[in-house]
């Protein structure tokens, strides 16, 4: 495993680190011509990070939808287009998609193409102003066990970093999350990472892969170490079980990522919405994740304490309406409120299984609709139905009150 070590010294007491992932760029020129939305989303993210003064950019894998030279070149060319010769420090790793291809290229061929086009190793250890940043690509395209052969290298690098990181976190970038940690890892997590990372309590692990929304407070987990889910620049994906799907409507409209502000007294995590492609805007600025320095893992972001403080959603108005449109019944009602945000709505009808729908939170909290519309199968003519709609937050707490809609078809 050929790794690469570099040391950088940036001026000033503070510096800024952008964290993005999962562009899944088109594998061929033809497919790029047919649909370039993911290139547009990468371009928007880089423009916002440039405008906000990012000194460093971390990219947590899945450059391409397939691991082609064309996708890798498109990625590199987009950085050059946005930054010119004044590129920030860029640390990029491979994801599972970057090992996939319709041809029979080996994993070694994919890594060789990565090195040649991006000019760096898939395994890097950068020291920036005394902070250690370890970029650990998986060794294969496995969805759940991509770090078996990387584990020894990662363990050695972490042991070295720990010797020099008193009072500072060690930043580790992997593509996959350790399983059963932050939001999405229960569905998409990697089983081979935890055994290494749990030896190092000051690790802050940024990972891609899951595409789950970083607006959800479950996107940061702190137990034996810390894991932060980076969402995606391509499309948002969410957990199964909702009528509007794991990839809900307009899921590629709003690329998001992080900007870390690393200062002398604390590290602040800004959640950035890149949709305007200019300066972006910060989502949830009053709920930033802040890590005081000197750093220690005090489990302040563990699930249980945050869940205990959580209040259920509530409806201030409980009247709604329904109308038939083709073979659908459209329920309409005022959105519920929550101390964080409404994650989903549950529709209960006598004699039927409850139906669950994601709200539109994943496209930005300031953009959430004031009036919610849900499409259900239309009842048969002559049917009398009573629908009760409950609001559910991201911790699973339901509203005590509900919207009631009576409809006769």
């Amino acid at each position: 495993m050929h790794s690469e070590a570099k040391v950088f010294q940036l001026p000033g007491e503070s510096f800024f680190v952008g964290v993005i992932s999962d562009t899944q760029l088109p594998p061929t020129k033809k497919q790029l011509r047919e649909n370039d939305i993911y290139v547009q989303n990468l371009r928007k993210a880089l423009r916002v990070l440039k405008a906000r003064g990012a000194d460093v950019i971390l990219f947590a894998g899945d450059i391409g939808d397939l691991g082609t030279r064309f996708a890798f070149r498109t990625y590199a060319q987009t950085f050059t287009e946005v930054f010119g010769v004044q590129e920030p420090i860029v640390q990029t790793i491979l994801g599972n998609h970057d090992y996939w291809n319709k041809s029979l290229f080996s994993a070694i061929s994919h890594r060789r193409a990565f090195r040649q086009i991006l000019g760096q190793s898939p395994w890097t250890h950068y020291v920036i102003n005394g902070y250690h940043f370890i970029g650990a690509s998986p060794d294969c395209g496995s969805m759940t066990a991509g770090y078996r052969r990387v584990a020894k290298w990662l363990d050695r690098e972490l042991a070295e970093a720990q010797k020099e990181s008193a009072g500072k976190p060690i930043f580790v970038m992997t593509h996959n999350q350790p399983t059963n940690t932050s939001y999405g890892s229960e569905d998409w997590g990697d089983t081979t990472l935890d055994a290494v990372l749990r030896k190092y309590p000051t690790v802050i692990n940024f990972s891609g892969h899951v595409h789950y929304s970083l607006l959800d407070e479950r996107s940061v987990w702190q137990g034996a170490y810390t894991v932060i889910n980076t969402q995606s620049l391509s499309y948002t994906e969410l957990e199964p079980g909702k009528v509007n799907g794991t990839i809900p409507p307009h899921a590629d409209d709003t690329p998001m990522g992080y900007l870390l502000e690393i200062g002398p007294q604390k590290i602040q995590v800004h959640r950035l919405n890149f949709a305007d492609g200019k300066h972006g805007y910060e989502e949830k600025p009053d709920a930033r994740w802040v890590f005081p320095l000197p750093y220690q893992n005090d489990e302040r972001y563990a699930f249980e304490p945050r869940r205990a403080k959580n209040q259920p959603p509530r409806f201030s108005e409980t009247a709604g309406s329904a109308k038939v449109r083709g073979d659908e019944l459209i329920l309409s009602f005022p959105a519920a409120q929550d101390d964080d945000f409404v994650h989903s709505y549950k529709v209960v009808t006598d004699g039927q299984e409850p139906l669950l729908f994601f709200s539109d939170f994943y496209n930005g909290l300031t953009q959430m609709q004031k009036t919610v519309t849900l499409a259900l199968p239309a009842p048969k003519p002559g049917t009398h139905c009573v629908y009760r709609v409950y609001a559910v937050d991201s911790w699973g707490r339901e509203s005590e009150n509900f919207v009631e809609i009576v409809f006769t078809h």
Side-chain angles (χ1 to χ4, degrees):
M1 188 166 295
H2 303 290
S3 61
E4 176 184 319
K6 289 185 178 180
V7 178
F8 302 88
Q9 186 63 46
L10 298 167
E13 289 189 312
S14 301
F15 64 103
F16 294 88
V17 180
V19 187
I20 54 178
S21 77
D22 292 79
T23 46
Q24 295 185 252
L25 300 172
T28 67
K29 184 181 291 187
K30 179 178 181 293
Q31 288 167 297
L32 178 62
R33 285 197 301 265
E34 292 170 350
N35 186 4
D36 71 344
I37 183 64
Y38 297 165
V39 180
Q40 291 180 39
N41 284 353
L42 173 59
R43 190 179 295 120
K44 287 177 180 179
L46 297 181
R47 285 174 175 167
V48 171
L49 292 173
K50 180 181 181 181
R52 288 181 173 259
D55 302 291
V56 181
I57 294 178
L58 311 181
F59 185 89
D62 275 4
I63 297 166
D65 196 44
L66 296 174
T68 65
R69 287 179 171 269
F70 180 82
F72 293 168
R73 281 196 299 269
T74 302
Y75 173 83
Q77 288 165 359
T78 307
F79 270 84
T80 301
E81 173 194 329
V82 173
F83 290 101
V85 296
Q86 300 296 322
E87 266 194 23
I89 300 165
V90 180
Q91 188 176 40
T92 302
I93 62 171
L94 293 158
N96 59 290
H97 277 262
D98 299 317
Y99 280 104
W100 297 353
N101 205 322
K102 292 179 181 178
S103 65
L104 297 178
F105 290 158
S106 67
I108 294 173
S109 298
H110 288 269
R111 293 196 287 265
R112 183 183 299 120
F114 177 93
R115 287 175 183 272
Q116 290 173 348
I117 294 168
L118 272 64
Q120 66 153 84
S121 169
W123 299 284
T124 49
H125 188 155
Y126 296 168
V127 182
I128 306 172
N129 288 26
Y131 286 85
H132 288 254
F133 292 81
I134 299 172
S137 295
D139 55 56
C140 63
S142 171
M143 299 281 281
T144 59
Y147 285 85
R148 293 188 192 280
R149 292 195 293 273
V150 179
K152 287 184 179 180
W153 172 84
L154 181 57
D155 198 6
R156 288 196 304 269
E157 299 301 311
L158 282 166
E160 287 300 311
Q162 186 170 251
K163 295 174 186 176
E164 302 175 2
S165 296
K168 297 184 178 75
I170 303 168
F171 296 106
V172 176
M173 180 170 56
T174 58
H175 179 61
N176 308 65
Q177 295 167 300
T179 191
N180 294 322
T181 55
S182 62
Y183 186 36
S185 63
E186 66 278 11
D187 297 318
W188 297 96
D190 188 281
T191 60
T192 59
L193 280 164
D194 178 75
V196 176
L197 296 183
R198 68 170 39 255
K199 298 179 184 180
Y200 304 95
T202 59
V203 158
I204 296 179
N205 170 227
F206 285 100
S207 52
H209 191 53
V210 299
H211 294 231
Y212 282 36
S213 174
L214 58 76
L215 300 177
D216 196 302
E217 292 306 306
R218 294 173 293 171
S219 290
V220 58
W221 173 89
Q222 199 165 41
Y225 47 95
T226 299
V227 179
I228 299 178
N229 151 35
T230 63
Q231 193 178 311
S232 156
L233 293 186
S234 50
Y235 59 88
T236 307
E237 187 162 358
L238 298 165
E239 61 267 34
K242 307 295 192 295
V243 173
N244 43 0
T246 56
I247 302 176
H250 308 291
D252 56 8
D253 284 359
T254 318
M256 296 191 197
Y258 298 110
L259 186 68
L260 308 187
E261 182 178 356
I262 301 178
Q265 297 181 320
K266 59 187 175 183
I267 298 170
Q268 296 187 76
V269 182
H270 304 263
R271 286 177 266 193
L272 294 186
N273 186 322
F274 302 126
D276 70 0
K278 297 177 182 177
H279 201 261
Y281 64 89
E282 184 174 359
E283 296 275 3
K284 305 178 81 168
D286 297 328
R288 289 176 190 155
W289 303 326
V290 179
F291 300 99
L293 297 173
Y295 180 73
Q296 60 181 356
N297 181 355
D298 58 6
E299 298 196 9
R300 69 177 59 225
Y301 298 112
F303 283 176
E304 293 306 325
R306 284 181 291 157
R307 184 185 284 126
K309 295 176 184 176
N310 178 56
Q311 297 297 312
R314 61 214 167 271
F315 287 99
S316 57
E317 299 180 50
T318 56
S321 62
K323 64 180 180 180
V324 173
R325 186 179 66 194
D327 59 356
E328 294 181 326
L329 181 69
I330 308 301
L331 303 185
S332 181
F333 52 90
Q337 295 81 47
D338 188 65
D339 53 352
D340 188 10
F341 62 84
V342 175
H343 181 275
S344 53
Y345 290 95
K346 183 172 82 170
V347 180
V348 179
T349 311
D350 288 345
Q352 298 182 25
E353 287 292 319
L355 297 176
L356 291 164
F357 298 79
F358 289 116
S359 78
D360 57 347
F361 76 91
Y362 53 88
N363 277 330
L365 302 187
T366 60
Q367 308 298 318
M368 291 182 73
Q369 296 176 353
K370 305 296 184 193
T371 300
V372 178
T373 58
L374 304 178
L376 285 67
K380 295 178 181 179
T383 304
H384 178 79
C385 296
V386 178
Y387 299 93
R388 288 184 173 181
V389 183
Y390 296 85
V392 185
D393 67 17
S394 62
W395 297 106
R397 295 197 66 179
E398 292 185 11
S399 58
E400 295 176 359
N401 65 344
F402 53 85
V403 170
E404 184 172 273
I405 301 173
V406 179
F407 181 75
T408 301
H409 190 11

